[in-house]
Amino acid sequence: MAGGSAKICLPRRSIRSYWGVLFNLCERLSLLDKNHRVINYLRLSVTDRCNLRCIYCMPEQGVQFISHREILSYEEMLRIVRLCVHKGIRKVRVTGGEPLVRKDVTHFLEMLCNIEGLEEISLTTNGVLLKRFAADIKNSGIRRINVSLDSLKPERFFRITGKDYFERVWEGLEAAEHVGFHPIKINVVAIKGINDDEILDFAELAVRKPYHIRFIELMPVGNQSTWNAERFVSTDEIYQLIQSHADLSPVKSNPYDGPAQRFKIKGGQGEIGLISALSHHFCDQCNRLRLTPEGHLRGCLFSDQEIDLKTPLRQKKEDDDLLQLIELAIKNKPKEHGLLKCFPRKCVPQMNRIGG
Ligand code: SAM
Ligand code: SF4
């Protein structure tokens, strides 16, 4: 092509699709934090209150709860979520504390599910009130549900949670299955000397039920007295144990799976998931922000950096002002939790407040 510039001829359709690619790229760029991670997932803690006292999360006595007037109203939460969607959030998980103890939560879920631009909305619950609310949750539009259950033995459930509610949770799971939640994910925090002898029982549950059992490493958050290195069970140990009794094959994860490594058990209906929050920390892929019940946006579970959205919200600031703060929280998301470098680090208190 000597002399003159080359003339690029593209068919009309191609030009449009080039614009599409460019648009997607710009959209993606606006969601990158300064470590080039796409931030598209918000964990929304709707309350710090709970009807259980799991040993690793909340002390039995003396918990300081946030006063009602300091907790965001549902309208305030919805406004923040809408603005977050504007900044690229596509997935929201409603958590707590125990989300189902907050009044009218299913009405809130319905409004949340109507927010345009959200592609996935899920709920994490301890299951105690699930039997009562399963149908309403399904009708609200929620399609994915995680139920936390650390033991299949009622007396041990009592020891871990401080309440004799195993049957209620089990009935909650059955109700969730009955109204058509699929898959139902069960979160199990493995703790040495407390429930690690049940790992194979949970694996067996994933064989006979269509449940996705997700083993979570015990983290130094919440109730500080529970955490110590002797209590820790790594997901590598869990994998080895299950693999020595069953045939595990990896399952390709989808973009919204988060950090779980997934496995099918040969001949089983469900799946096993391993969440290695400490042993193979996944900070370089972390796509999360957290909104606390009192309206603080937090980039990392283990960092004290928070951006207060409630004050400007209640001062009736414009959307643009709030959008700038959300962008700041995204851009300044900590690079990593650093727990492995400076361990043992002080525990992060109040997992129920931040939202697990
Ligand atoms: N109350 C609901 C529940 O228990 O499912 C939602 C909130 S809870 C804080 C969310 C998840 O965080 C639960 O699966 C719980 O087991 C997990 N979690 C709480 N404290 C933890 C800790 N110290 N280490 C690991 N997981 C923890
Ligand atoms: Fe409550 Fe969930 Fe914490 Fe257990 S883990 S005390 S159920 S908030």
Side-chain angles (χ1 to χ4, degrees):
M1 267 179 293
S5 56
K7 193 172 172 211
I8 302 170
C9 293
L10 290 170
R12 275 182 87 82
R13 266 220 337 265
S14 298
I15 289 170
R16 226 180 283 141
S17 63
Y18 272 75
W19 271 114
V21 169
L22 197 62
F23 178 79
N24 283 342
L25 193 65
C26 291
E27 199 193 18
R28 280 175 70 89
L29 281 176
S30 74
L31 321 177
L32 293 183
D33 71 353
K34 63 174 187 266
N35 295 297
H36 318 295
R37 293 169 297 194
V38 175
I39 310 303
N40 56 13
Y41 178 17
L42 178 71
R43 290 175 85 98
L44 174 59
S45 177
V46 294
T47 179
D48 61 337
R49 283 151 211 258
C50 188
N51 44 7
L52 296 183
R53 291 289 179 276
C54 300
I55 47 173
Y56 47 74
C57 181
M58 278 167 102
E60 244 181 298
Q61 306 286 337
V63 189
Q64 295 280 322
F65 291 110
I66 309 163
S67 71
H68 284 294
R69 67 173 185 284
E70 293 307 327
I71 288 194
L72 292 184
S73 67
Y74 287 144
E75 289 69 28
E76 289 170 329
M77 283 183 182
L78 290 167
R79 181 167 174 214
I80 293 178
V81 174
R82 276 190 206 100
L83 293 170
C84 286
V85 169
H86 204 72
K87 284 287 165 198
I89 294 297
R90 296 289 173 264
K91 171 177 169 176
V92 171
R93 174 170 296 279
V94 177
T95 177
E98 172 47 36
L100 298 186
V101 301
R102 185 156 173 184
K103 201 165 170 256
D104 292 333
V105 72
T106 52
H107 183 52
F108 169 70
L109 295 177
E110 201 180 316
M111 292 187 288
L112 190 65
C113 290
N114 282 331
I115 291 183
E116 220 170 290
L118 281 180
E119 291 161 14
E120 196 186 304
I121 304 151
S122 53
L123 173 82
T124 300
T125 171
N126 61 28
V128 172
L129 298 171
L130 192 52
K131 185 179 178 189
R132 193 197 303 172
F133 288 119
D136 289 344
I137 296 168
K138 190 81 194 331
N139 292 337
S140 74
I142 299 275
R143 293 289 164 264
R144 287 171 179 263
I145 193 164
N146 286 42
V147 179
S148 303
L149 179 64
D150 299 325
S151 177
L152 298 170
K153 300 179 181 184
E155 63 293 350
R156 192 173 283 173
F157 180 95
F158 176 72
R159 184 177 163 208
I160 296 173
T161 66
K163 299 280 181 195
D164 197 7
Y165 290 162
F166 174 80
E167 289 305 330
R168 292 195 197 188
V169 178
W170 193 256
E171 286 171 11
L173 280 168
E174 287 177 339
E177 218 180 318
H178 182 71
V179 300
F181 280 107
H182 182 78
I184 294 171
K185 295 184 182 175
I186 299 186
N187 291 356
V188 183
V189 179
I191 316 167
K192 198 156 278 171
I194 294 194
N195 64 352
D196 57 328
D197 59 341
E198 291 189 63
I199 290 169
L200 290 176
D201 297 341
F202 275 107
E204 197 269 327
L205 183 63
V207 172
R208 71 188 154 83
K209 288 279 207 178
Y211 298 157
H212 290 194
I213 309 290
R214 293 149 49 93
F215 293 100
I216 303 174
E217 288 178 345
L218 179 66
M219 294 182 285
V221 287
N223 190 3
Q224 309 192 13
S225 55
T226 308
W227 167 262
N228 68 52
E230 282 85 61
R231 291 266 184 240
F232 182 74
V233 186
S234 73
T235 46
D236 287 348
E237 287 173 72
I238 296 172
Y239 176 82
Q240 297 296 343
L241 178 65
I242 301 176
Q243 175 75 338
S244 66
H245 287 79
D247 194 353
L248 289 179
S249 52
V251 175
K252 201 171 174 298
S253 42
N254 73 50
Y256 292 117
D257 274 340
Q261 288 173 270
R262 296 170 51 191
F263 301 90
K264 267 299 227 201
I265 302 186
K266 195 171 179 188
Q269 297 189 56
E271 274 186 21
I272 300 294
L274 301 175
I275 302 178
S276 321
L278 281 193
S279 64
H280 303 280
H281 72 101
F282 31 75
C283 302
D284 57 336
Q285 303 150 38
C286 182
N287 58 353
R288 301 170 179 189
L289 283 185
R290 294 168 194 271
L291 183 65
T292 67
E294 76 266 53
H296 294 184
L297 211 47
R298 202 175 166 110
C300 175
L301 186 57
F302 299 99
S303 158
D304 296 333
Q305 279 178 37
E306 290 186 347
I307 289 188
D308 172 14
L309 292 181
K310 182 179 64 190
T311 306
L313 196 73
R314 292 191 177 171
Q315 287 168 343
K316 310 256 180 293
K317 294 280 185 199
E318 299 291 327
D319 282 357
D320 277 350
D321 299 312
L322 295 165
L323 284 167
Q324 273 179 27
L325 291 172
I326 295 169
E327 193 167 322
L328 196 66
I330 292 175
K331 297 282 179 220
N332 288 341
K333 182 175 160 68
K335 185 168 184 233
E336 55 189 16
H337 59 48
L339 283 172
L340 299 177
K341 277 191 205 140
C342 48
F343 200 76
R345 188 178 180 260
K346 76 176 167 69
C347 289
V348 177
Q350 292 180 294
M351 178 72 151
N352 57 309
R353 181 192 146 250
I354 303 165

